[in-house]
Amino acid sequence: MVHCTAHEGVCADGGGEHPACSACLEACGSCGRIICNRHAEQSKADAPKGSRRLCAACLRYCEGGTNEPVGVDEVAQCASCGRSVCTAHQAVCAVDEQVQCSRHLRRADGSGRLVCEQHREACVAEPEAVFAADEVSSCPVCGKTACARHQAACGYCGRQVCTADLVQQTGRCATCGRLETAEPPEDVVAALLATAPSGKRSWRMARDRTHVVLELNLGWRRRTVFTLPHGASEPDGVVTH
Ligand SMILES: [Zn+2]
Ligand SMILES: [Zn+2]
Ligand SMILES: [Zn+2]
Ligand SMILES: [Zn+2]
Ligand SMILES: [Zn+2]
Ligand SMILES: [Zn+2]
Ligand SMILES: [Zn+2]
Ligand SMILES: [Zn+2]
């Protein structure tokens, strides 16, 4: 571009400073450096901070929208794909609150919360529905995730299990329904009982995905049910009936 030397100024962009006509020079709306028209781009009025003049160092393209020019101070990186997305075209995952571009977010069916791919879960009873990771929990019997509507507490061991593993007639989970007479190893007994009970006692046991369920029978129809997580030295549940 030809310019008159009477109005000569300096543009900060274009591979080092270069002379330019002062009529073409104006500050970048983001960093404030003086740049010429040729090295500036104007963002649109619907950009988060409105229409601004942007220098090459401050210019980004929003990859979550229409690839529109935006300032570096208007974008964040999508936690899933690393692309720049402007504040108008980004949203946060409801579980970890990280910025995501629209491509990676979906609404959970029940709650309507936005969740990223990593924090999307299903319920074993309704595989089509989308849930946020914190809206489901894994069933200790089958290990599959179930939503709050499709889990219930076992009336015997007290654990939350999926409705498929809860036997309707007894109100007990499938594991409690198949307890078998067995003598647990001594170290397990020691872990469960601070003091060995005197008199007659018998045990019934069953194991599932996450626990060994042990029922201690001390006679007089008194039963204590322990749930001992695999690899743990202490039970995470004790229920006396
Ligand atoms: Zn700038
Ligand atoms: Zn320039
Ligand atoms: Zn993304
Ligand atoms: Zn955008
Ligand atoms: Zn997430
Ligand atoms: Zn289950
Ligand atoms: Zn469900
Ligand atoms: Zn149970």
Side-chain angles (χ1 to χ4, degrees):
M1 196 190 286
V2 184
H3 54 89
C4 63
T5 48
H7 295 113
E8 193 172 273
V10 175
C11 165
D13 257 346
E17 301 190 340
H18 70 87
C21 170
S22 58
C24 306
L25 290 167
E26 220 181 305
C28 164
S30 174
C31 69
R33 292 189 309 147
I34 308 297
I35 44 161
C36 75
N37 286 351
R38 196 153 54 87
H39 287 125
E41 187 144 356
Q42 196 75 20
S43 58
K44 300 266 172 358
D46 58 1
K49 295 195 175 183
S51 178
R52 293 187 301 169
R53 180 180 180 87
L54 297 165
C55 76
C58 295
L59 181 66
R60 296 289 182 278
Y61 293 97
C62 170
E63 293 174 280
T66 54
N67 230 35
E68 76 275 13
V70 283
V72 66
D73 54 354
E74 296 170 297
V75 297
Q77 228 127 52
C78 167
S80 291
C81 64
R83 291 177 214 259
S84 305
V85 264
C86 78
T87 48
H89 292 117
Q90 64 181 235
V92 296
C93 165
V95 178
D96 64 2
E97 294 184 338
Q98 292 219 53
V99 169
Q100 301 281 340
C101 65
S102 50
R103 210 175 329 208
H104 302 293
L105 288 168
R106 260 208 65 175
R107 279 197 190 280
D109 286 314
S111 64
R113 293 158 76 219
L114 287 168
V115 277
C116 73
E117 283 167 5
Q118 204 197 324
H119 293 112
R120 211 171 287 169
E121 289 287 353
C123 167
V124 62
E126 43 188 338
E128 302 301 306
V130 171
F131 289 94
D134 57 3
E135 293 168 352
V136 297
S137 53
S138 358
C139 165
V141 178
C142 64
K144 298 191 177 116
T145 51
C147 75
R149 247 175 7 101
H150 289 110
Q151 52 179 280
C154 165
Y156 204 50
C157 69
R159 297 178 304 169
Q160 288 283 330
V161 299
C162 77
T163 42
D165 287 319
L166 191 78
V167 181
Q168 286 293 327
Q169 296 90 319
T170 60
R172 295 182 182 186
C173 73
T175 307
C176 289
R178 56 179 181 76
L179 293 168
E180 284 180 3
T181 304
E183 192 57 38
E186 264 172 45
D187 57 325
V188 171
V189 176
L192 299 180
L193 306 171
T195 52
S198 53
K200 202 168 128 42
R201 65 173 196 215
S202 64
W203 293 89
R204 292 199 303 151
M205 292 167 56
R207 61 166 46 229
D208 59 22
R209 198 83 178 196
T210 55
H211 292 88
V212 181
V213 177
L214 302 103
E215 174 206 70
L216 172 63
N217 181 358
L218 291 171
W220 303 101
R221 298 175 59 89
R222 261 202 56 184
R223 309 240 189 303
T224 304
V225 183
F226 302 91
T227 50
L228 184 67
H230 298 317
S233 54
E234 273 177 39
D236 63 355
V238 182
V239 184
T240 302
H241 295 275

PDB file of all heavy atoms in Angstrom, residues 173-199:
ATOM      1  N   CYS A 173     -32.057 -58.003  48.026  1.00  0.00           N
ATOM      2  CA  CYS A 173     -31.294 -58.046  46.782  1.00  0.00           C
ATOM      3  C   CYS A 173     -30.978 -59.504  46.414  1.00  0.00           C
ATOM      4  O   CYS A 173     -31.104 -60.402  47.246  1.00  0.00           O
ATOM      5  CB  CYS A 173     -30.021 -57.213  46.899  1.00  0.00           C
ATOM      6  SG  CYS A 173     -28.736 -57.945  47.922  1.00  0.00           S
ATOM      7  N   ALA A 174     -30.555 -59.697  45.182  1.00  0.00           N
ATOM      8  CA  ALA A 174     -30.286 -61.050  44.680  1.00  0.00           C
ATOM      9  C   ALA A 174     -29.202 -61.737  45.506  1.00  0.00           C
ATOM     10  O   ALA A 174     -29.250 -62.958  45.726  1.00  0.00           O
ATOM     11  CB  ALA A 174     -29.878 -60.978  43.212  1.00  0.00           C
ATOM     12  N   THR A 175     -28.231 -60.982  45.992  1.00  0.00           N
ATOM     13  CA  THR A 175     -27.148 -61.577  46.775  1.00  0.00           C
ATOM     14  C   THR A 175     -27.678 -62.073  48.130  1.00  0.00           C
ATOM     15  O   THR A 175     -27.356 -63.176  48.565  1.00  0.00           O
ATOM     16  CB  THR A 175     -26.005 -60.555  46.978  1.00  0.00           C
ATOM     17  OG1 THR A 175     -25.635 -60.045  45.697  1.00  0.00           O
ATOM     18  CG2 THR A 175     -24.805 -61.192  47.654  1.00  0.00           C
ATOM     19  N   CYS A 176     -28.498 -61.254  48.768  1.00  0.00           N
ATOM     20  CA  CYS A 176     -29.088 -61.666  50.046  1.00  0.00           C
ATOM     21  C   CYS A 176     -30.039 -62.843  49.856  1.00  0.00           C
ATOM     22  O   CYS A 176     -30.317 -63.578  50.807  1.00  0.00           O
ATOM     23  CB  CYS A 176     -29.823 -60.498  50.699  1.00  0.00           C
ATOM     24  SG  CYS A 176     -28.702 -59.231  51.319  1.00  0.00           S
ATOM     25  N   GLY A 177     -30.531 -63.006  48.624  1.00  0.00           N
ATOM     26  CA  GLY A 177     -31.435 -64.112  48.341  1.00  0.00           C
ATOM     27  C   GLY A 177     -30.719 -65.432  48.147  1.00  0.00           C
ATOM     28  O   GLY A 177     -31.361 -66.487  48.077  1.00  0.00           O
ATOM     29  N   ARG A 178     -29.405 -65.400  48.027  1.00  0.00           N
ATOM     30  CA  ARG A 178     -28.691 -66.668  47.805  1.00  0.00           C
ATOM     31  C   ARG A 178     -27.557 -66.870  48.805  1.00  0.00           C
ATOM     32  O   ARG A 178     -26.496 -67.408  48.467  1.00  0.00           O
ATOM     33  CB  ARG A 178     -28.191 -66.762  46.357  1.00  0.00           C
ATOM     34  CG  ARG A 178     -27.323 -65.609  45.921  1.00  0.00           C
ATOM     35  CD  ARG A 178     -26.835 -65.770  44.497  1.00  0.00           C
ATOM     36  NE  ARG A 178     -25.990 -64.646  44.112  1.00  0.00           N
ATOM     37  CZ  ARG A 178     -24.729 -64.488  44.504  1.00  0.00           C
ATOM     38  NH1 ARG A 178     -24.137 -65.388  45.246  1.00  0.00           N
ATOM     39  NH2 ARG A 178     -24.053 -63.422  44.111  1.00  0.00           N
ATOM     40  N   LEU A 179     -27.789 -66.436  50.044  1.00  0.00           N
ATOM     41  CA  LEU A 179     -26.804 -66.665  51.103  1.00  0.00           C
ATOM     42  C   LEU A 179     -26.736 -68.160  51.398  1.00  0.00           C
ATOM     43  O   LEU A 179     -27.763 -68.829  51.476  1.00  0.00           O
ATOM     44  CB  LEU A 179     -27.200 -65.899  52.371  1.00  0.00           C
ATOM     45  CG  LEU A 179     -27.146 -64.364  52.295  1.00  0.00           C
ATOM     46  CD1 LEU A 179     -27.828 -63.749  53.503  1.00  0.00           C
ATOM     47  CD2 LEU A 179     -25.712 -63.880  52.177  1.00  0.00           C
ATOM     48  N   GLU A 180     -25.525 -68.665  51.552  1.00  0.00           N
ATOM     49  CA  GLU A 180     -25.351 -70.095  51.823  1.00  0.00           C
ATOM     50  C   GLU A 180     -24.506 -70.290  53.075  1.00  0.00           C
ATOM     51  O   GLU A 180     -23.581 -69.524  53.329  1.00  0.00           O
ATOM     52  CB  GLU A 180     -24.648 -70.774  50.639  1.00  0.00           C
ATOM     53  CG  GLU A 180     -25.586 -70.986  49.480  1.00  0.00           C
ATOM     54  CD  GLU A 180     -24.892 -71.658  48.304  1.00  0.00           C
ATOM     55  OE1 GLU A 180     -23.687 -71.993  48.436  1.00  0.00           O
ATOM     56  OE2 GLU A 180     -25.562 -71.835  47.277  1.00  0.00           O
ATOM     57  N   THR A 181     -24.835 -71.339  53.799  1.00  0.00           N
ATOM     58  CA  THR A 181     -24.101 -71.658  55.025  1.00  0.00           C
ATOM     59  C   THR A 181     -22.623 -71.860  54.693  1.00  0.00           C
ATOM     60  O   THR A 181     -22.287 -72.594  53.762  1.00  0.00           O
ATOM     61  CB  THR A 181     -24.674 -72.923  55.664  1.00  0.00           C
ATOM     62  OG1 THR A 181     -26.076 -72.710  55.869  1.00  0.00           O
ATOM     63  CG2 THR A 181     -24.007 -73.233  56.995  1.00  0.00           C
ATOM     64  N   ALA A 182     -21.777 -71.144  55.415  1.00  0.00           N
ATOM     65  CA  ALA A 182     -20.328 -71.249  55.195  1.00  0.00           C
ATOM     66  C   ALA A 182     -19.624 -70.710  56.422  1.00  0.00           C
ATOM     67  O   ALA A 182     -20.207 -69.928  57.182  1.00  0.00           O
ATOM     68  CB  ALA A 182     -19.925 -70.448  53.961  1.00  0.00           C
ATOM     69  N   GLU A 183     -18.402 -71.130  56.608  1.00  0.00           N
ATOM     70  CA  GLU A 183     -17.608 -70.601  57.719  1.00  0.00           C
ATOM     71  C   GLU A 183     -16.598 -69.618  57.148  1.00  0.00           C
ATOM     72  O   GLU A 183     -15.697 -70.003  56.402  1.00  0.00           O
ATOM     73  CB  GLU A 183     -16.901 -71.760  58.421  1.00  0.00           C
ATOM     74  CG  GLU A 183     -16.271 -71.383  59.762  1.00  0.00           C
ATOM     75  CD  GLU A 183     -17.259 -70.795  60.781  1.00  0.00           C
ATOM     76  OE1 GLU A 183     -18.421 -71.253  60.847  1.00  0.00           O
ATOM     77  OE2 GLU A 183     -16.847 -69.872  61.505  1.00  0.00           O
ATOM     78  N   PRO A 184     -16.744 -68.308  57.444  1.00  0.00           N
ATOM     79  CA  PRO A 184     -15.786 -67.345  56.869  1.00  0.00           C
ATOM     80  C   PRO A 184     -14.384 -67.535  57.454  1.00  0.00           C
ATOM     81  O   PRO A 184     -14.253 -68.011  58.581  1.00  0.00           O
ATOM     82  CB  PRO A 184     -16.364 -65.987  57.263  1.00  0.00           C
ATOM     83  CG  PRO A 184     -17.370 -66.237  58.308  1.00  0.00           C
ATOM     84  CD  PRO A 184     -17.766 -67.669  58.286  1.00  0.00           C
ATOM     85  N   PRO A 185     -13.345 -67.169  56.703  1.00  0.00           N
ATOM     86  CA  PRO A 185     -11.974 -67.284  57.212  1.00  0.00           C
ATOM     87  C   PRO A 185     -11.814 -66.495  58.517  1.00  0.00           C
ATOM     88  O   PRO A 185     -12.509 -65.504  58.735  1.00  0.00           O
ATOM     89  CB  PRO A 185     -11.131 -66.648  56.106  1.00  0.00           C
ATOM     90  CG  PRO A 185     -11.991 -66.599  54.909  1.00  0.00           C
ATOM     91  CD  PRO A 185     -13.410 -66.611  55.362  1.00  0.00           C
ATOM     92  N   GLU A 186     -10.900 -66.935  59.346  1.00  0.00           N
ATOM     93  CA  GLU A 186     -10.732 -66.334  60.682  1.00  0.00           C
ATOM     94  C   GLU A 186     -10.443 -64.836  60.620  1.00  0.00           C
ATOM     95  O   GLU A 186     -10.949 -64.062  61.436  1.00  0.00           O
ATOM     96  CB  GLU A 186      -9.588 -67.035  61.430  1.00  0.00           C
ATOM     97  CG  GLU A 186     -10.076 -68.127  62.350  1.00  0.00           C
ATOM     98  CD  GLU A 186      -8.934 -68.939  62.941  1.00  0.00           C
ATOM     99  OE1 GLU A 186      -7.951 -68.295  63.382  1.00  0.00           O
ATOM    100  OE2 GLU A 186      -9.015 -70.175  62.936  1.00  0.00           O
ATOM    101  N   ASP A 187      -9.591 -64.435  59.667  1.00  0.00           N
ATOM    102  CA  ASP A 187      -9.258 -63.002  59.603  1.00  0.00           C
ATOM    103  C   ASP A 187     -10.474 -62.160  59.244  1.00  0.00           C
ATOM    104  O   ASP A 187     -10.597 -61.020  59.666  1.00  0.00           O
ATOM    105  CB  ASP A 187      -8.100 -62.758  58.619  1.00  0.00           C
ATOM    106  CG  ASP A 187      -8.412 -63.274  57.233  1.00  0.00           C
ATOM    107  OD1 ASP A 187      -9.099 -64.314  57.114  1.00  0.00           O
ATOM    108  OD2 ASP A 187      -7.969 -62.645  56.257  1.00  0.00           O
ATOM    109  N   VAL A 188     -11.390 -62.727  58.457  1.00  0.00           N
ATOM    110  CA  VAL A 188     -12.621 -62.011  58.124  1.00  0.00           C
ATOM    111  C   VAL A 188     -13.486 -61.867  59.371  1.00  0.00           C
ATOM    112  O   VAL A 188     -13.987 -60.780  59.677  1.00  0.00           O
ATOM    113  CB  VAL A 188     -13.404 -62.739  57.003  1.00  0.00           C
ATOM    114  CG1 VAL A 188     -14.781 -62.113  56.809  1.00  0.00           C
ATOM    115  CG2 VAL A 188     -12.608 -62.692  55.698  1.00  0.00           C
ATOM    116  N   VAL A 189     -13.608 -62.943  60.126  1.00  0.00           N
ATOM    117  CA  VAL A 189     -14.399 -62.894  61.365  1.00  0.00           C
ATOM    118  C   VAL A 189     -13.800 -61.856  62.320  1.00  0.00           C
ATOM    119  O   VAL A 189     -14.519 -61.051  62.919  1.00  0.00           O
ATOM    120  CB  VAL A 189     -14.459 -64.287  62.036  1.00  0.00           C
ATOM    121  CG1 VAL A 189     -15.195 -64.203  63.375  1.00  0.00           C
ATOM    122  CG2 VAL A 189     -15.158 -65.285  61.112  1.00  0.00           C
ATOM    123  N   ALA A 190     -12.476 -61.863  62.401  1.00  0.00           N
ATOM    124  CA  ALA A 190     -11.802 -60.907  63.291  1.00  0.00           C
ATOM    125  C   ALA A 190     -12.062 -59.464  62.840  1.00  0.00           C
ATOM    126  O   ALA A 190     -12.205 -58.567  63.664  1.00  0.00           O
ATOM    127  CB  ALA A 190     -10.301 -61.201  63.307  1.00  0.00           C
ATOM    128  N   ALA A 191     -12.129 -59.265  61.526  1.00  0.00           N
ATOM    129  CA  ALA A 191     -12.378 -57.916  61.000  1.00  0.00           C
ATOM    130  C   ALA A 191     -13.797 -57.460  61.306  1.00  0.00           C
ATOM    131  O   ALA A 191     -14.050 -56.274  61.514  1.00  0.00           O
ATOM    132  CB  ALA A 191     -12.131 -57.894  59.496  1.00  0.00           C
ATOM    133  N   LEU A 192     -14.725 -58.423  61.331  1.00  0.00           N
ATOM    134  CA  LEU A 192     -16.131 -58.057  61.523  1.00  0.00           C
ATOM    135  C   LEU A 192     -16.499 -57.899  62.991  1.00  0.00           C
ATOM    136  O   LEU A 192     -17.330 -57.070  63.339  1.00  0.00           O
ATOM    137  CB  LEU A 192     -17.041 -59.110  60.882  1.00  0.00           C
ATOM    138  CG  LEU A 192     -16.894 -59.311  59.370  1.00  0.00           C
ATOM    139  CD1 LEU A 192     -17.878 -60.380  58.912  1.00  0.00           C
ATOM    140  CD2 LEU A 192     -17.124 -58.019  58.615  1.00  0.00           C
ATOM    141  N   LEU A 193     -15.925 -58.725  63.838  1.00  0.00           N
ATOM    142  CA  LEU A 193     -16.346 -58.750  65.230  1.00  0.00           C
ATOM    143  C   LEU A 193     -15.195 -58.356  66.149  1.00  0.00           C
ATOM    144  O   LEU A 193     -14.142 -58.976  66.136  1.00  0.00           O
ATOM    145  CB  LEU A 193     -16.833 -60.159  65.607  1.00  0.00           C
ATOM    146  CG  LEU A 193     -17.919 -60.748  64.706  1.00  0.00           C
ATOM    147  CD1 LEU A 193     -18.141 -62.202  65.064  1.00  0.00           C
ATOM    148  CD2 LEU A 193     -19.204 -59.952  64.801  1.00  0.00           C
ATOM    149  N   ALA A 194     -15.423 -57.327  66.937  1.00  0.00           N
ATOM    150  CA  ALA A 194     -14.403 -56.887  67.889  1.00  0.00           C
ATOM    151  C   ALA A 194     -14.179 -57.969  68.935  1.00  0.00           C
ATOM    152  O   ALA A 194     -13.048 -58.300  69.275  1.00  0.00           O
ATOM    153  CB  ALA A 194     -14.830 -55.581  68.547  1.00  0.00           C
ATOM    154  N   THR A 195     -15.264 -58.526  69.414  1.00  0.00           N
ATOM    155  CA  THR A 195     -15.153 -59.615  70.383  1.00  0.00           C
ATOM    156  C   THR A 195     -15.930 -60.802  69.827  1.00  0.00           C
ATOM    157  O   THR A 195     -17.042 -60.643  69.320  1.00  0.00           O
ATOM    158  CB  THR A 195     -15.758 -59.220  71.739  1.00  0.00           C
ATOM    159  OG1 THR A 195     -17.083 -58.722  71.514  1.00  0.00           O
ATOM    160  CG2 THR A 195     -14.936 -58.132  72.425  1.00  0.00           C
ATOM    161  N   ALA A 196     -15.318 -61.950  69.892  1.00  0.00           N
ATOM    162  CA  ALA A 196     -15.974 -63.157  69.391  1.00  0.00           C
ATOM    163  C   ALA A 196     -17.209 -63.443  70.247  1.00  0.00           C
ATOM    164  O   ALA A 196     -17.131 -63.417  71.472  1.00  0.00           O
ATOM    165  CB  ALA A 196     -15.009 -64.332  69.446  1.00  0.00           C
ATOM    166  N   PRO A 197     -18.352 -63.627  69.599  1.00  0.00           N
ATOM    167  CA  PRO A 197     -19.553 -63.890  70.386  1.00  0.00           C
ATOM    168  C   PRO A 197     -19.462 -65.258  71.054  1.00  0.00           C
ATOM    169  O   PRO A 197     -18.925 -66.208  70.486  1.00  0.00           O
ATOM    170  CB  PRO A 197     -20.676 -63.861  69.353  1.00  0.00           C
ATOM    171  CG  PRO A 197     -20.012 -64.153  68.057  1.00  0.00           C
ATOM    172  CD  PRO A 197     -18.583 -63.699  68.152  1.00  0.00           C
ATOM    173  N   SER A 198     -19.945 -65.299  72.299  1.00  0.00           N
ATOM    174  CA  SER A 198     -19.928 -66.590  72.994  1.00  0.00           C
ATOM    175  C   SER A 198     -21.144 -67.387  72.562  1.00  0.00           C
ATOM    176  O   SER A 198     -22.120 -66.844  72.059  1.00  0.00           O
ATOM    177  CB  SER A 198     -19.942 -66.334  74.503  1.00  0.00           C
ATOM    178  OG  SER A 198     -21.013 -65.483  74.816  1.00  0.00           O
ATOM    179  N   GLY A 199     -21.054 -68.642  72.749  1.00  0.00           N
ATOM    180  CA  GLY A 199     -22.190 -69.510  72.453  1.00  0.00           C
ATOM    181  C   GLY A 199     -22.258 -69.911  70.991  1.00  0.00           C
ATOM    182  O   GLY A 199     -21.325 -69.690  70.220  1.00  0.00           O
TER     183      GLY A 199
END
